[in-house]
Amino acid sequence: MLEFILRSVGEGIPGTLFCHDLNQRIRFFNDAFASQYLRLTGRVPQLGEPTVDFLPDPELRAEIEKYRRRAAAGEPVTAEYTVHFGEAVEIWEIHCRPVRDDHGQVIGILAWGQDVTARKQEREFLQRLEVILAQMQDAVLVTEAWPIDADEGGPRILYVNEAFERMTGYTRAEVIGQTPRILQGPRTRREELDRLRAALEQWQPVRVELVNYRKDGREFLVDISISPVRDPTGKVVCWVAIQRDVTREKAMVDILQDALEERQVLLQEVHHRVKNNFQTIISLLELQAVHLEQPGFDRLLYDMASRIRAMALIHEQLYQQSDFSHVLLDELCASLVAHMQQVTAAASVRAEVRPGHIALPLNRAVPVALIVHELLLNAFKHGVAAGAHHIAVQFRRTADAVTIEVIDDGRHHPPDLPAQLEGSRHFGLRMVRLLARQLHGSVDFMPETGRFCAALTFPLGPDGEPAGTPPGYG
């Protein structure tokens, strides 16, 4: 009956259980002990055989013998042993208790043990994790998964690291068991709290920005990222919040934003003044042209004023936009076309700029504007003289180049016009060829039946710099 009871108890214990007398001969063992014995020796244990024989490692035998003698002397002993099963290494926790007779004399030792390898590894991992969390600059806060509702007292704080204590002024002992609501106050935004709660109710990660309060009542702005932690079954077991104090960062952003807005206002004012100065120069040239007595000089001054106006249009466009590094090419050409219609009084000619959506770097804008100005001037002069009723500006964009085409529908252009233009010593065309070389580009004149096309092509990469040329060239 006693043996049956011992066996029933032994099989219910999680782990090995065996008993030996003072001569170390086995008197009882359960199935778990038999399995481990088989792993170590390759055979099953037998009642009456000495326990010391089944341990192949002499150092382990000596260590166990030391604790066995203490148990035989009547002292309860608990120890950990490292056991090698071939290449596998396991850590076992063994408890030894003396067995006494009716007179209190020790007659044997009862030992039970279990594999604690996973538990010990988990403990070591948690200890390393604790060291890592303690050294983090961001605050870490762990709460229970449920309840979420404050009326039910949750979610309660389970853990905070040292950065949290520095950030809030609360000690760990003061916040464990409390809810994160102890950090909230009058200026904590309800909208962010509602968004946070909605995410928690759906077991979803969330990121919010809140005004929190330190223990001494001072406000601070905190960026909080909250994520659920799930067990192997997928059940959420806790929430982990990483909190960063962004008070100073936000203040710096505000300062930089104010400085940027001030810079934008200043640059707008600069471009406005440059445009006005150009307009003053234009007015002076036009005024001087009116009072010139030498034939032909008035036309020269008017042409110079028109070219200066082309440059002024760039600053006028920049004054009207927030990006001062680029000029929209189609808007610039549209302004040039409107200006050309005004100065040439060609109201009967229909002119259009077809959309291109090309951003032109500021250091390319001036030479491009001057070239397009001259090509438009030729179109309005020679194209209209050749019977043109329509002038168009259109763009072609490739991966590393831009082409601007000025096209008129004049039907009576001289057949040798391209050759005349190529060999012309006219100041405007000489300036066009010089500026095209500055852009690392070219200007081509292409007559066709019923139309004439002048095209400027220059390299321009996706980053706005000339393809194949040093950045910032020109």
Side-chain angles (χ1 to χ4, degrees):
M1 183 65 178
L2 179 59
E3 182 179 353
F4 174 76
I5 294 173
L6 285 173
R7 186 163 299 280
S8 298
V9 172
E11 298 309 324
I13 290 178
T16 63
L17 177 67
F18 74 100
C19 180
H20 64 78
D21 59 22
L22 295 182
N23 293 322
Q24 301 185 45
R25 296 188 179 278
I26 301 174
R27 296 305 179 190
F28 168 82
F29 58 86
N30 66 355
D31 289 344
F33 177 83
S35 297
Q36 296 304 322
Y37 193 101
L38 180 63
R39 289 178 66 194
L40 283 168
T41 66
R43 62 186 179 83
V44 296
Q46 301 295 321
L47 292 176
E49 68 176 281
T51 59
V52 71
D53 292 342
F54 84 98
L55 294 171
D57 185 349
E59 292 184 2
L60 181 58
R61 283 204 305 268
E63 187 176 1
I64 290 178
E65 176 61 21
K66 179 178 63 175
Y67 290 113
R68 188 200 65 78
R69 285 197 298 267
R70 290 171 55 185
E75 178 186 351
V77 177
T78 298
E80 282 187 359
Y81 304 112
T82 300
V83 184
H84 294 266
F85 296 93
E87 295 183 357
V89 179
E90 296 178 1
I91 300 173
W92 279 75
E93 184 179 80
I94 308 296
H95 304 269
C96 298
R97 297 294 183 267
V99 178
R100 301 177 186 272
D101 61 13
D102 294 340
H103 303 289
Q105 297 296 316
V106 176
I107 60 174
I109 297 173
L110 180 67
W112 68 94
Q114 57 182 336
D115 182 359
V116 295
T117 308
R119 188 175 71 189
K120 191 172 181 64
Q121 290 175 343
E122 181 179 353
R123 187 187 309 129
E124 292 174 350
F125 170 76
L126 292 175
Q127 289 172 346
R128 290 194 296 269
L129 181 61
E130 172 69 18
V131 172
I132 293 171
L133 293 177
Q135 295 177 355
M136 286 184 63
Q137 297 301 312
D138 292 338
V140 179
L141 180 147
V142 181
T143 69
E144 59 190 358
W146 193 263
I148 294 174
D149 199 323
D151 295 337
E152 300 178 32
R156 289 177 289 270
I157 298 173
L158 303 176
Y159 168 85
V160 295
N161 67 346
E162 294 177 10
F164 177 91
E165 295 178 308
R166 293 192 299 269
M167 179 186 295
T168 65
Y170 288 100
T171 66
R172 185 175 302 180
E174 289 175 316
V175 297
I176 297 297
Q178 302 288 337
T179 79
R181 293 178 182 86
I182 65 171
L183 303 174
Q184 298 168 11
R187 296 187 64 242
T188 305
R189 292 177 57 194
R190 184 74 255 169
E191 299 85 353
E192 290 291 276
L193 292 175
D194 290 342
R195 190 163 69 86
L196 187 154
R197 179 191 176 93
L200 297 186
E201 289 177 345
Q202 297 296 319
W203 309 107
Q204 296 296 318
V206 63
R207 183 173 181 176
V208 295
E209 192 173 89
L210 296 176
V211 174
N212 275 353
Y213 291 80
R214 295 180 174 86
K215 183 179 178 179
D216 60 11
R218 289 181 296 154
E219 293 181 1
F220 66 103
L221 192 62
V222 61
D223 179 85
I224 306 176
S225 296
I226 303 177
S227 300
V229 177
R230 303 177 186 272
D231 65 14
T233 67
K235 178 183 177 181
V236 175
V237 294
C238 64
W239 296 95
V240 175
I242 308 296
Q243 304 185 357
R244 173 171 294 181
D245 186 345
V246 294
T247 309
R248 294 182 62 184
E249 294 177 15
K250 283 293 183 181
M252 288 300 299
V253 168
D254 291 340
I255 292 172
L256 291 174
Q257 184 63 39
D258 291 341
L260 179 60
E261 292 176 358
E262 182 178 346
R263 173 181 175 274
Q264 288 179 325
V265 171
L266 179 61
L267 284 174
Q268 281 185 314
E269 180 63 21
V270 167
H271 287 299
H272 181 61
R273 289 179 179 271
V274 171
K275 183 203 70 169
N276 289 344
N277 289 339
F278 273 138
Q279 187 58 52
T280 300
I281 295 172
I282 293 169
S283 299
L284 290 173
L285 289 174
E286 291 176 343
L287 182 63
Q288 184 64 51
V290 171
H291 294 88
L292 279 175
E293 298 180 357
Q294 295 90 338
F297 274 91
D298 57 341
R299 185 68 265 164
L300 175 63
L301 291 180
Y302 280 126
D303 287 347
M304 293 300 297
S306 181
R307 292 172 182 126
I308 294 173
R309 176 59 179 166
M311 293 187 289
L313 289 174
I314 297 172
H315 296 278
E316 183 175 348
Q317 181 178 334
L318 290 171
Y319 172 69
Q320 296 171 351
Q321 63 188 38
S322 57
D323 180 6
F324 302 119
S325 62
H326 290 78
V327 172
L328 296 178
L329 189 53
D330 47 0
E331 292 185 10
L332 175 62
C333 290
S335 299
L336 288 170
V337 166
H339 165 66
M340 198 59 58
Q341 285 181 308
Q342 182 181 3
V343 298
T344 59
S348 62
V349 178
R350 184 169 65 89
E352 66 169 327
V353 177
R354 294 164 185 166
H357 307 293
I358 297 172
L360 194 65
L362 192 56
N363 59 351
R364 313 253 86 72
V366 171
V368 168
L370 290 173
I371 293 173
V372 173
H373 171 274
E374 296 301 320
L375 299 183
L376 284 170
L377 184 62
N378 285 332
F380 274 90
K381 285 184 176 180
H382 303 295
V384 171
H389 298 284
H390 178 247
I391 296 174
V393 180
Q394 64 184 23
F395 315 98
R396 286 187 286 112
R397 184 75 159 95
T398 63
D400 56 2
V402 169
T403 298
I404 307 172
E405 296 178 333
V406 179
I407 305 168
D408 68 74
D409 62 352
R411 296 180 175 274
H412 308 297
H413 286 291
D416 61 344
L417 181 58
Q420 295 179 27
L421 294 173
E422 288 291 345
S424 174
R425 303 292 295 173
H426 186 271
F427 172 77
L429 291 175
R430 292 173 63 189
M431 181 182 67
V432 164
R433 287 192 287 269
L434 178 64
L435 292 174
R437 284 198 298 271
Q438 179 182 333
L439 291 170
H440 286 238
S442 62
V443 176
D444 300 299
F445 301 101
M446 298 166 286
E448 298 178 12
T449 304
R451 71 195 294 267
F452 186 86
C453 175
L456 164 65
T457 300
F458 59 97
L460 191 70
D463 58 355
E465 292 294 339
T469 60
Y473 180 87

